[in-house]
Amino acid sequence: TVDISLRLGIDLAKNVFELIQVKDRSTVVFNKRLNREQLTALVMKLPPQRIVMEACATSTWWAQIFSAVQHEVFLIAPQHVRAYRQGQKNDRTDAHAIIEASFNPKFNPVPIRSPYQQELAALNNHRDRIKGERTRLANQMRACLGEFGIVVPKSLHKLRAAVPTLIESAVPQALKALLQTQYEALCQQ
């Protein structure tokens, strides 16, 4: 069972993590600065308790690891943590702010995603990036053609259909190789 009187706040980072553990909100049990391996080893040894972290790129992964050993994990949105930071922004003040924010009765934790939800999010992010690149390339091609008075409708399908003919006839010689390269890139997306 989770000891609700204990709370561990972790400021996540790539390699060095700042931790603060409190008991009954007012008593600091420890402040520590640990590397990845030390963090994992420490949390595995601690009795089940509430662990709070700021929601970030790695927080879901850590939450899954800590939940697997019976800790109760909560993620806090960055804007809620920011409101509790006192002094200069650094790892220690962030860890303290995470702990303080977690005691706000109005705070709604950020949901911890399942591995499947993480996969879907990664795929959607990748898809959005590809769509953005394709849109930028199409707009760049239209702008370049527009410099020579050639207007292509704002349909990706119509742009793809028009470019081969334009390369053969309407485009200045110096532009043909560039447009061909852009066209090939556009067709691959």
Side-chain angles (χ1 to χ4, degrees):
T1 178
V2 174
D3 183 350
I4 59 170
S5 70
L6 285 174
R7 194 165 293 199
L8 179 66
I10 305 173
D11 181 49
L12 297 172
K14 290 180 186 155
N15 299 310
V16 179
F17 305 84
E18 190 73 36
L19 287 73
I20 180 172
Q21 186 184 51
V22 296
K23 183 170 181 68
D24 299 323
R25 188 175 186 168
S26 58
T27 307
V28 174
V29 178
F30 65 75
N31 266 324
K32 293 184 182 212
R33 190 177 192 92
L34 305 173
N35 65 31
R36 286 179 89 77
E37 293 77 25
Q38 292 168 326
L39 171 65
T40 304
L42 173 75
V43 172
M44 297 302 165
K45 286 189 261 182
L46 290 174
Q49 59 194 272
R50 181 170 289 177
I51 296 178
V52 289
M53 301 175 287
E54 188 173 5
C56 65
T58 61
S59 60
T60 295
W61 183 80
W62 284 110
Q64 291 167 357
I65 299 294
F66 300 153
S67 295
V69 289
Q70 308 311 308
H71 292 290
E72 182 181 68
V73 181
F74 286 93
L75 303 180
I76 303 175
Q79 64 269 22
H80 298 309
V81 172
R82 193 176 312 119
Y84 288 90
R85 189 178 305 115
Q86 296 178 4
Q88 295 291 330
K89 179 178 174 20
N90 59 48
D91 295 343
R92 181 157 290 196
T93 59
D94 283 352
H96 283 272
I98 290 166
I99 281 287
E100 285 301 316
S102 75
F103 284 105
N104 183 336
K106 294 180 181 177
F107 116 84
N108 290 320
V110 173
I112 298 169
R113 292 184 281 182
S114 70
Y116 177 71
Q117 290 170 318
Q118 286 177 280
E119 289 174 32
L120 286 180
L123 291 171
N124 282 333
N125 289 341
H126 181 70
R127 181 178 173 271
D128 288 346
R129 182 188 57 79
I130 289 171
K131 279 177 52 180
E133 288 173 3
R134 183 183 64 201
T135 300
R136 282 188 292 282
L137 179 58
N139 289 341
Q140 184 182 28
M141 291 172 72
R142 280 192 197 90
C144 186
L145 290 167
E147 291 285 328
F148 295 95
I150 302 167
V151 177
V152 181
K154 277 204 165 202
S155 156
L156 193 56
H157 176 72
K158 290 179 182 177
L159 177 63
R160 284 183 177 142
V163 169
T165 306
L166 293 172
I167 290 173
E168 293 300 319
S169 61
V171 177
Q173 189 63 36
L175 194 58
K176 289 182 190 261
L178 171 64
L179 197 56
Q180 181 66 40
T181 302
Q182 290 176 326
Y183 174 72
E184 289 167 5
L186 188 65
C187 287
Q188 291 176 0
Q189 296 182 357

